[in-house]
Amino acid sequence: MKKDDCIFCKIANGEIPTNTIYEDEDFRAILDMGPAAKGHALLLPKEHADNLFELPDEIAQKALVTAKKIGKKLVDKLGADGLNIVQNNGEIAGQTVMHFHIHIIPRYKSDGQKINWVPGSPSAEELATICKEINA
Ligand code: AMP
Ligand code: ZN
């Protein structure tokens, strides 16, 4: 299903022209308009899903394999030194466009970017409590 008011549905299905770096029957990959680094790409499924939890398993499986293939191409063609794969779900997690997408970000020693978090320092007991909570 496509969603009428969704810009990524329109881009993924070719209704809005964009810089396409990969396309198959399920996905289109485009260049991000606000790139973290040269070649920052977005992998968009052609069918709408708000986020990872709504994405059909079959598409979720294909998405990582496809992101791997595109990431390899970006690294090889652009001479990148590394690669980040980023995928945000929900506003608090940094999702701004509510159509599932994977960021594929080539990284360069000189890019000056930080795609990081501030590490916490929980005690061993706190980690064990969280582990119990998850496994309960
Ligand atoms: P997120 O914060 O994970 O939802 O990422 C949304 C990304 O989409 C951002 O990196 C934006 O720069 C990018 N973006 C939004 N609109 C467009 C567009 N029309 N074409 C290309 N990239 C876009
Ligand atoms: Zn959509």
Side-chain angles (χ1 to χ4, degrees):
M1 286 281 287
K2 322 294 184 252
K3 202 173 163 193
D4 278 351
D5 57 349
C6 174
I7 185 160
F8 279 6
C9 277
K10 292 189 170 69
I11 290 174
N13 291 283
E15 288 168 42
I16 297 177
T18 187
N19 290 296
T20 295
I21 60 161
Y22 175 87
E23 185 178 6
D24 64 24
E25 63 176 352
D26 297 310
F27 300 100
R28 182 188 299 270
I30 66 168
L31 291 181
D32 193 302
M33 69 180 344
K38 181 181 174 185
H40 180 164
L42 299 172
L43 181 63
L44 314 176
K46 291 185 175 179
E47 294 294 316
H48 183 87
D50 277 358
N51 54 45
L52 179 63
F53 305 112
E54 289 199 355
L55 198 66
D57 285 355
E58 186 204 344
I59 299 295
Q61 285 170 354
K62 283 184 185 171
L64 190 57
V65 175
T66 308
K68 177 184 174 188
K69 187 159 50 180
I70 294 166
K72 175 88 173 76
K73 181 176 175 185
L74 291 172
V75 167
D76 288 351
K77 295 267 182 165
L78 299 177
D81 303 304
L83 184 82
N84 286 115
I85 296 286
V86 176
Q87 201 279 307
N88 301 323
N89 297 282
E91 210 175 324
I92 190 63
Q95 186 178 8
T96 58
V97 181
M98 300 302 155
H99 174 126
F100 172 90
H101 51 280
I102 296 180
H103 295 261
I104 307 165
I105 310 172
R107 298 300 305 277
Y108 309 88
K109 285 177 186 154
S110 58
D111 66 28
Q113 275 291 355
K114 283 202 188 312
I115 301 174
N116 276 328
W117 55 86
V118 180
S121 48
S123 65
E125 290 76 21
E126 283 167 327
L127 287 175
T129 301
I130 295 164
C131 187
K132 272 195 201 134
E133 186 179 348
I134 294 166
N135 290 328

